[in-house]
Amino acid sequence: MKTLVRLFLSLVCVAAGAVLYVLLGSHAGLQPCCRATGQPGSPSAPAVLSFQGYSRVPDGKPLERALCRRCAIVSSSGQMLGSGLGQAIDGQECVLRMNHAPTAGYERDVGSRSTVRVVSHTSVPLLLRNQPYFFQQSQETLYVIWGPARKMSREKVGPTYQMLLKVMETYPQLQVYTLTEEKMTYCDDIFQNETGKNRMKSGSFLSTGWFTMILAMELCEQICVFGMVSDSYCSREKNHSSVPYHYFEKGRLDECKMYLVHERARRAGHRFITEKAIFSRWAKRRNINFTHPSWAGG
């Protein structure tokens, strides 16, 4: 009888250990499109993950790197002017920036480090205008480029993809990735699931901020967003300051005016306000925080 009891207790311990191993080995924020490729059991080096949907130029291999424990997403908004947040941003493990937003001359407010830069196909020519800054001084930056298939197709060598091939010929050490057609569709599907509206039929364009947030949720364990206003900031909050749409384009269209114009556009509008409402919902389920200005729901 004692032997049977000991055997039963041993089986219970083994089963409990197996369950605990699975729970500890899983990553709460890991997306279905990620899979581990690193060697298990090496505590000194973080596991390398393969991020499906991000295709390297020119060989098409998926993005492979370790997760970032703490990430900063730096908005290109004029909210960043005078923020003095540069040191806090550079103190994060990974720093994500968007399009051609510069750091030179704005280091005190936006920091100087750029781990990842998510870029719209429309902004690629703007990067090419300042190649020494983006591609020589920032060779450690990983570039993720998004755009429609007609511009970005690797198989058909779309015009934007041709530009990227030439960049790689000149700067072969650069890390440049494009979103696959499947990943672009996936991002559209998320928009439809969150809003109940088909993106194309509703006349909507996704913003670079949308693709940046989706990448960050795959890549980062903790996300701190700097300089992004909430969905209620422009329409309901009183006495908000008037700031330029981009911190590096002073005198251009006011940020809130730009957001409202796009939100109300029947065709070809970025739904900035809708996207921020979705981000607020995600923040309640994920480790996402918003600062300067802070969000009540973040």
Side-chain angles (χ1 to χ4, degrees):
M1 183 64 180
K2 290 182 179 180
T3 302
L4 290 174
V5 170
R6 284 198 296 269
L7 179 60
F8 175 77
L9 291 175
S10 298
L11 290 173
V12 170
C13 290
V14 170
V19 170
L20 184 61
Y21 176 83
V22 170
L23 290 175
L24 292 176
S26 66
H27 185 276
L30 198 60
Q31 299 295 307
C33 57
C34 300
R35 64 175 187 271
T37 59
Q39 295 295 322
S42 63
S44 59
V48 173
L49 303 179
S50 179
F51 295 84
Q52 303 302 304
Y54 302 94
S55 172
R56 189 168 69 183
V57 179
D59 58 24
K61 292 183 178 179
L63 170 61
E64 293 188 348
R65 61 158 295 146
L67 290 173
C68 297
R69 289 164 298 186
R70 300 186 320 278
C71 289
I73 293 180
V74 185
S75 169
S76 302
S77 164
Q79 300 286 342
M80 297 304 298
L81 291 171
S83 68
L85 290 169
Q87 187 173 357
I89 290 168
D90 283 344
Q92 306 299 311
E93 182 179 356
C94 297
V95 180
L96 285 72
R97 302 185 189 275
M98 289 171 259
N99 293 322
H100 61 296
T103 59
Y106 301 95
E107 291 89 347
R108 184 178 180 279
D109 292 332
V110 304
S112 58
R113 295 179 52 235
S114 300
T115 313
V116 179
R117 191 175 284 271
V118 182
V119 181
S120 164
H121 66 104
T122 59
S123 291
V124 170
L126 301 177
L127 299 183
L128 296 177
R129 292 179 190 174
N130 197 354
Q131 295 186 36
Y133 176 74
F134 287 109
F135 302 141
Q136 289 180 357
Q137 299 176 32
S138 304
Q139 288 205 18
E140 295 182 358
T141 302
L142 188 152
Y143 289 86
V144 176
I145 319 296
W146 68 272
R150 67 180 184 280
K151 299 284 187 179
M152 302 296 299
S153 175
R154 179 171 175 265
E155 290 74 18
K156 298 179 181 179
V157 194
T160 303
Y161 195 85
Q162 288 182 356
M163 295 181 194
L164 299 177
L165 287 175
K166 291 179 180 178
V167 167
M168 292 302 299
E169 289 175 2
T170 307
Y171 308 98
Q173 300 306 313
L174 278 180
Q175 303 176 77
V176 180
Y177 291 80
T178 63
L179 269 69
T180 64
E181 290 186 46
E182 293 78 11
K183 190 69 172 185
M184 292 293 295
T185 300
Y186 169 77
C187 292
D188 278 354
D189 289 344
I190 293 177
F191 180 85
Q192 183 162 338
N193 290 339
E194 292 285 350
T195 63
K197 298 178 181 179
N198 178 277
R199 181 192 66 78
M200 296 184 67
K201 291 181 179 178
S202 64
S204 303
F205 283 149
L206 297 175
S207 74
T208 299
W210 180 264
F211 295 100
T212 303
M213 185 65 78
I214 288 175
L215 172 60
M217 289 195 299
E218 297 173 351
L219 180 64
C220 310
E221 295 179 353
Q222 301 176 29
I223 303 170
C224 189
V225 186
F226 293 85
M228 184 182 290
V229 300
S230 69
D231 61 300
S232 63
Y233 183 86
C234 293
S235 58
R236 292 194 292 272
E237 293 187 18
K238 296 181 179 179
N239 301 321
H240 60 72
S241 59
S242 176
V243 301
Y245 177 53
H246 289 147
Y247 66 80
F248 50 91
E249 294 178 337
K250 299 174 185 177
R252 296 294 185 92
L253 185 61
D254 173 81
E255 177 182 58
C256 278
K257 289 181 180 178
M258 174 70 87
Y259 284 1
L260 293 170
V261 165
H262 272 270
E263 193 70 20
R264 296 165 181 166
R266 297 185 64 182
R267 304 297 303 172
H270 286 299
R271 309 307 182 194
F272 296 113
I273 295 174
T274 295
E275 288 183 7
K276 288 166 175 55
I278 295 168
F279 296 164
S280 182
R281 293 200 295 270
W282 290 348
K284 294 183 173 80
R285 305 192 299 265
R286 300 292 299 270
N287 198 343
I288 305 172
N289 294 289
F290 300 86
T291 184
H292 191 77
S294 61
W295 294 19

